Amino acid sequence: MTTSETSRFVRLRVELVLEIEDSEVLTGAALERIAADEFMPDEERTHARSAVREDEAEALAYLVDPFDLVAEVPGVELAQASWSSEQVDYDPEAQEWDLDDDLDGLRDEDDEYDDEDAEDAEDERRQ
């Protein structure tokens, strides 16, 4: 497939696990964002306030905007975005949370990534 035949659109998937260190600060910031949104209808605003007071994940969803992630990236324009936030049971030792699966075998004895091995793995992915 030539470059002219490939799509100009790219799906970027990002998964983050965040630890809520101060629920009151998070909720307060979300409530401030909701209050400052001049385009939010009153009925939706009432529902939003209730949701963020009851659920930290909802508060976070009101504060995180995918547009902010790419707004300063040159040469791209956000075409569509969706995101969600949910509370999860997180265990950094559990296999399901191992985000380094693709990097297995790329660490040396000091548990550091070997740049040469990482470059080789990237070259293999491109082929």
Side-chain angles (χ1 to χ4, degrees):
M1 187 178 280
T2 67
T3 304
S4 63
E5 295 172 325
T6 61
S7 176
R8 296 174 359 138
F9 296 92
V10 174
R11 181 182 309 262
L12 174 66
R13 295 183 186 183
V14 177
E15 183 170 332
L16 304 169
V17 177
L18 304 173
E19 180 179 357
I20 307 300
E21 294 182 336
D22 191 329
S23 179
E24 290 180 20
V25 170
L26 174 67
T27 301
L31 290 171
E32 287 176 17
R33 170 76 56 95
I34 292 165
D37 187 342
E38 61 189 52
F39 299 109
M40 186 180 291
D42 288 339
E43 186 175 305
E44 185 179 337
R45 188 182 317 275
T46 300
H47 173 73
R49 286 178 179 142
S50 175
V52 301
R53 285 183 179 115
E54 294 176 17
D55 186 351
E56 294 163 338
E58 286 288 331
L60 186 60
Y62 276 96
L63 294 170
V64 173
D65 185 347
F67 177 77
D68 293 341
L69 296 174
V70 297
E72 299 297 320
V73 176
V76 301
E77 181 177 334
L78 183 63
Q80 179 181 358
S82 67
W83 67 103
S84 65
S85 182
E86 63 184 349
Q87 292 188 356
V88 295
D89 292 326
Y90 177 66
D91 177 3
E93 302 300 319
Q95 181 72 20
E96 68 191 79
W97 293 102
D98 186 6
L99 300 178
D100 291 333
D101 284 342
D102 291 340
L103 299 176
D104 284 347
L106 300 181
R107 296 177 188 249
D108 61 21
E109 294 94 31
D110 297 328
D111 202 31
E112 294 179 7
Y113 293 110
D114 183 341
D115 290 339
E116 255 181 61
D117 289 339
E119 288 174 16
D120 291 344
E122 184 63 29
D123 288 341
E124 288 177 20
R125 284 188 203 119
R126 289 185 188 137
Q127 295 176 0

